[in-house]
Amino acid sequence: MHAVMKPATRVFVPGDSSANAIGAAETAAALAQAGAKVVRTGSRGLYWLEPLVEIERDGRRIGYGPVAAEDVPALLAAMQNGTAEHSLCVGDLDRMLADQGQQRWALGRSGVVVPADWEDYVAHGGTDGLRKALGMTPQDILKAVRESGLRGRGGAGFPTGVKWQTVHEADNSPKYVVCNADEGDSGTFADRMLLEGDPLCLLEGMAIAALAVGAERGYIYLRSEYPDARRSLEMALVAARANGMLGDAILGSAQAFDIEIRVGAGAYICGEETSLLESLEGKRGEVRYKPPLPAVRGFLGKPTVMNNVITLATVPAIFVQGAPAHHALGINRSRGTLTVQLCGNIKRPGLYELPFGVTLGHVIDELGGGSASGRPVRAVQVGGPLGAYLPPERFDTPLGYEEFADVKAIIGHGGVVVFDDSVDMAAQARFAMEFCAIESCGKCTPCRVGSVRAQEVIDRITADDNREANIELLRELCETMIQGSLCAHGGMAPFPVLSALNHFPEDFEPRTAAA
Amino acid sequence: MEPMSDMSGIDDICERHARRDAPLLPILHEVQDRFGYISDAAIRRIAEALNLTRAEVFGVVSFYHDFRDRPARRRRLRVCRAEACQAVGGREVWAAAEALAAEPDSPFEVQAVYCLGNCACAPSVQLDGRTLGRFTPERVSRLAAAKVGRSCTP
Ligand SMILES: Cc1cc2nc3c(=O)[nH]c(=O)nc-3n(C[C@H](O)[C@H](O)[C@H](O)COP(=O)(O)O)c2cc1C
Ligand code: SF4
Ligand code: FES
């Protein structure tokens, strides 16, 4: 039996690379073959429902998921019989996001619009923030960003308005805006989702930064592992130029601004801002000494705004909704939303953009639904490969930069990787040091040599060779790396190791043959 | 992939990028995309074109994991070894991939990567540039069995 759709019915299927990685392209092809008008969007970030299909009915979009290509005929048949209550129906997705407590400032359009489609972008509020900013003086733009409380989402959490102010005040030109799209942290994919799902939003945020600091050139440093993001950014650049958002006059204003994409070459350290600048200048990605800050002497020695993708993509919404509305969300010094990227051994992995202050446990248990394996959750690594592992006893920690620092952990770029009780924390600790060694830029000894030594020491501990003394030695090595490393790569790689030692000491005990 | 027999292709690439700020990385990417690797001769030629020393260009090529100094095998399998993938069986996928690469006359170039941004649909691999999710050791084995055609995705 062949079910055929009314040709006018629009069906939305993500073209996001993660959705495609589990069959969205095949699902889209099956739908198209059945006569549907298939529209490829980005992802909503509800990855446990991917491939997620949204079918338009009476002007509303109803979600179904996960829909594999082989589910398509039955789904269409059910629709034709008027039974919209198909077993895969998940209803209205905007409502689902709201029920989860999501507030989409950066990722509001991802999964909704056709990426890089100018009309769709404008119809969904695109350019509204930039138009507001165009009516303001640079000082007022800077004041709004400061008052919003926005802090860098790339990991360090530096106040964005303060950084922009420094570049604005620097009496040296030209000035540059550089977007850090290196997204190297394991367990993170928010930048990728935005770049693939709503790339124009990033360009708009960069244009606002350019207005604030007086820059005429911007660069996007994109990791080479994201070929789909590159294609979507290239399309967005074409659309933005054709419609005057980039070029000789930002939307008809007095200021010129254009952006170039530069692709990295597979080096984690190039996400660190000074290493990124070296790489952008065509050199080895070795970390620079600070000061001077990139805001003072950045790309080619000129004042440079460097911000993460999500930081910049949050800016347009701040101008639409107002700085006070952004500041009203969150707790203490962490304002606005965090794009939590929940993954690992978890039932409902995905992107949850949540106001700061929600607890880690809420994210894992309520939103994530606990482990995918059904076994108890034992450890969670937050903030990428340099982030600490936390046990369930710490799940009451609210998401916030200082709140995490208080428990010797980091928020980083918002990655949350869940492990069940089959995890071997000594192996995780060893991996942290292995990764540190592989990706070290080599400039300083504690990082380059210490990380290799630490692996050997962990091997001796797990082989029960002089265990007590070697644990002591491992702690000393960690201390040396923390104190003596030039950048946070070597300076924070000990965090996962020490947290494993402190919270899971039993995994460093002698192993019984049975285990 | 074009054979890197004469250097006019390299000159042409350098020429086209010459007027950009800091053109070395874009040049190296294009050389590798077109020829599959970056030879010693190419390094010398690029250094001349950009007025750099050979050591400087070599230093850059050797710093980055992406650049290679010899041709790759026919098919490229990158396997994510990072934490989100580890949490759902990524270590086993990596082990299977290493075994695949070690087979005699294996057409597969296996490389470790640390996150492909596909963490919510892990374990992740990239096969000839295409990201695939929820990968398993069994699917790696099926790759080995089907190692002839390019078209079949496990
Ligand atoms: C080892 C290391 C890796 C980093 N990787 C990234 C990255 O991939 N993406 C990113 O935005 N920031 C990364 N950062 C942080 C940047 O150095 C910098 O703080 C950030 O780009 C500033 O932008 P923000 O203020 O908008 O966060 C990294 C830092 C370190 C020490
Ligand atoms: S800590 Fe490591 S990555 Fe950072 S500068 Fe030193 S050697 Fe380079
Ligand atoms: S950790 Fe493997 S894809 Fe991100």
Side-chain angles (χ1 to χ4, degrees):
Chain A
M1 181 193 72
H2 273 292
V4 180
M5 261 192 143
K6 269 189 280 173
T9 311
R10 289 200 302 169
V11 178
F12 301 86
V13 185
D16 169 276
S17 60
S18 250
N20 281 339
I22 53 170
E26 288 76 9
T27 300
L31 283 161
Q33 209 173 10
K37 185 173 175 352
V38 175
V39 180
R40 301 303 296 271
T41 61
S43 173
R44 297 259 198 173
L46 307 164
Y47 282 106
W48 75 98
L49 293 174
E50 296 285 6
L52 175 62
V53 170
E54 285 180 76
I55 300 179
E56 196 169 52
R57 295 199 119 195
D58 314 322
R60 284 177 62 217
R61 286 161 69 158
I62 308 295
Y64 297 83
V67 181
E70 53 268 28
D71 299 328
V72 165
L75 176 64
L76 295 185
M79 301 251 346
Q80 259 170 354
N81 301 337
T83 41
E85 287 309 310
H86 186 268
S87 65
L88 297 177
C89 182
V90 291
D92 179 325
L93 296 171
D94 290 327
R95 176 167 312 156
M96 183 188 293
L97 296 183
D99 288 346
Q100 290 167 343
Q102 296 216 42
Q103 303 213 26
R104 294 269 174 117
W105 286 65
L107 284 152
R109 273 180 299 262
S110 180
V112 177
V113 298
V114 177
D117 182 293
W118 185 261
E119 271 82 52
D120 214 9
Y121 184 63
V122 173
H124 287 85
T127 71
D128 288 357
L130 176 57
R131 286 177 206 279
K132 279 249 174 71
L134 280 168
M136 298 164 71
T137 63
Q139 266 315 338
D140 286 340
I141 296 175
L142 293 166
K143 186 158 168 274
V145 175
R146 267 200 326 271
E147 287 178 357
S148 73
L150 179 66
R151 291 167 72 177
R153 301 291 187 243
F158 191 83
T160 306
V162 175
K163 185 183 284 187
W164 289 15
Q165 184 85 41
T166 309
V167 178
H168 174 83
E169 283 166 7
D171 56 357
N172 192 350
S173 61
K175 295 174 181 179
Y176 296 99
V177 175
V178 175
C179 170
N180 188 338
D182 201 47
E183 192 161 70
D185 283 359
S186 50
T188 70
F189 47 88
D191 296 355
R192 184 192 56 69
M193 249 185 74
L194 188 284
L195 297 169
E196 292 181 4
D198 189 18
L200 285 163
C201 181
L202 170 64
L203 307 187
E204 185 179 346
M206 290 178 75
I208 297 174
L211 288 174
V213 305
E216 297 196 344
R217 275 208 79 71
Y219 287 90
I220 298 169
Y221 186 89
L222 177 69
R223 69 196 303 243
S224 63
E225 292 83 348
Y226 287 179
D228 291 28
R230 180 184 182 174
R231 277 189 288 276
S232 113
L233 271 175
E234 278 166 355
M235 278 163 34
L237 285 176
V238 170
R241 288 184 192 124
N243 291 283
M245 185 161 83
L246 297 176
D248 293 339
I250 301 177
L251 294 180
S253 70
Q255 183 160 341
F257 184 59
D258 210 336
I259 298 171
E260 193 183 312
I261 304 166
R262 286 290 173 99
V263 178
Y268 174 74
I269 195 57
C270 288
E272 194 279 336
E273 55 187 5
T274 64
S275 164
L276 189 156
L277 289 168
E278 290 289 299
S279 184
L280 205 54
E281 291 178 9
K283 302 178 201 150
R284 294 163 66 87
E286 279 174 7
V287 172
R288 295 177 181 171
Y289 291 96
K290 284 193 272 195
L293 294 172
V296 179
R297 289 175 62 87
F299 182 57
L300 301 174
K302 301 297 182 183
T304 302
V305 167
M306 163 112 46
N307 278 124
N308 172 256
V309 173
I310 298 298
T311 314
L312 289 161
T314 305
V315 168
I318 288 175
F319 283 82
V320 174
Q321 315 235 22
H326 185 266
H327 193 272
L329 294 176
I331 50 162
N332 303 323
R333 290 179 52 214
S334 305
R335 315 309 311 185
T337 55
L338 177 67
T339 48
V340 175
Q341 297 130 84
L342 183 60
C343 53
N345 197 326
I346 189 85
K347 206 176 274 166
R348 291 191 286 271
L351 187 295
Y352 298 86
E353 186 171 348
L354 301 166
F356 283 101
V358 170
T359 65
L360 183 58
H362 178 80
V363 170
I364 292 163
D365 298 326
E366 305 304 320
L367 300 177
S371 76
S373 61
R375 300 172 69 104
V377 171
R378 178 153 183 254
V380 176
Q381 187 179 34
V382 185
L386 312 175
Y389 284 95
L390 295 172
E393 296 77 68
R394 291 284 183 279
F395 285 5
D396 57 352
T397 312
L399 297 178
Y401 295 104
E402 284 67 32
E403 291 71 16
F404 264 58
D406 287 345
V407 296
K408 292 196 170 70
I410 57 165
I411 289 284
H413 185 44
V416 175
V417 180
V418 180
F419 292 81
D420 74 8
D421 63 353
S422 64
V423 68
D424 172 352
M425 292 307 298
Q428 296 310 118
R430 190 188 191 285
F431 175 78
M433 285 299 177
E434 187 186 347
F435 178 76
C436 179
I438 291 168
E439 298 296 337
S440 168
C441 87
K443 192 152 174 166
C444 52
T445 320
C447 168
R448 190 185 65 240
V449 180
S451 53
V452 176
R453 284 290 317 273
Q455 291 172 60
E456 296 161 6
V457 175
I458 294 171
D459 285 343
R460 271 183 250 133
I461 294 169
T462 47
D464 201 20
D465 167 5
N466 232 334
R467 217 176 56 85
E468 295 297 326
N470 276 313
I471 288 182
E472 202 47 45
L473 180 57
L474 180 58
R475 287 185 182 279
E476 277 167 29
L477 262 171
C478 284
E479 200 50 38
T480 308
M481 288 175 70
I482 292 170
Q483 301 300 332
S485 295
L486 177 57
C487 85
H489 184 66
M492 283 171 38
F495 284 16
V497 178
L498 290 172
S499 62
L501 269 175
N502 294 335
H503 297 304
F504 308 93
E506 60 278 19
D507 284 21
F508 297 81
E509 301 276 326
R511 315 215 158 180
T512 54
Chain B
M1 223 50 92
E2 289 174 47
M4 204 187 280
S5 45
D6 79 301
M7 287 290 132
S8 62
I10 308 274
D11 293 344
D12 171 55
I13 292 169
C14 293
E15 178 87 7
R16 269 187 296 106
H17 290 282
R19 272 176 304 280
R20 303 170 80 176
D21 278 331
L24 182 54
L25 245 58
I27 289 174
L28 292 175
H29 269 301
E30 204 176 321
V31 169
Q32 174 147 311
D33 284 350
R34 235 166 98 182
F35 303 101
Y37 71 109
I38 301 166
S39 67
D40 267 352
I43 288 178
R44 209 170 302 127
R45 203 66 170 231
I46 294 166
E48 272 166 31
L50 299 186
N51 227 343
L52 298 168
T53 65
R54 254 192 82 235
E56 280 171 310
V57 178
F58 179 78
V60 172
V61 171
S62 62
F63 182 86
Y64 295 96
H65 300 302
D66 281 359
F67 297 136
R68 28 181 325 116
D69 60 2
R70 71 200 63 185
R73 291 183 190 162
R74 204 161 48 77
R75 307 202 59 185
R76 188 156 81 136
L77 180 66
R78 302 165 101 188
V79 180
C80 177
R81 288 192 59 211
E83 289 89 340
C85 288
Q86 290 170 356
V88 287
R91 287 176 195 271
E92 289 72 26
V93 175
W94 170 246
E98 277 195 307
L100 175 66
E103 281 178 14
D105 302 321
S106 174
F108 288 95
E109 187 86 29
V110 170
Q111 285 173 311
V113 298
Y114 300 88
C115 196
L116 289 163
N118 186 49
C119 331
C121 303
S124 312
V125 305
Q126 220 173 48
L127 178 64
D128 299 325
R130 177 169 172 214
T131 302
L132 300 170
R134 297 187 192 147
F135 224 70
T136 57
E138 293 70 38
R139 285 172 77 185
V140 175
S141 311
R142 259 180 273 157
L143 267 180
K147 60 185 152 199
V148 261
R150 232 171 196 273
S151 52
C152 88
T153 309

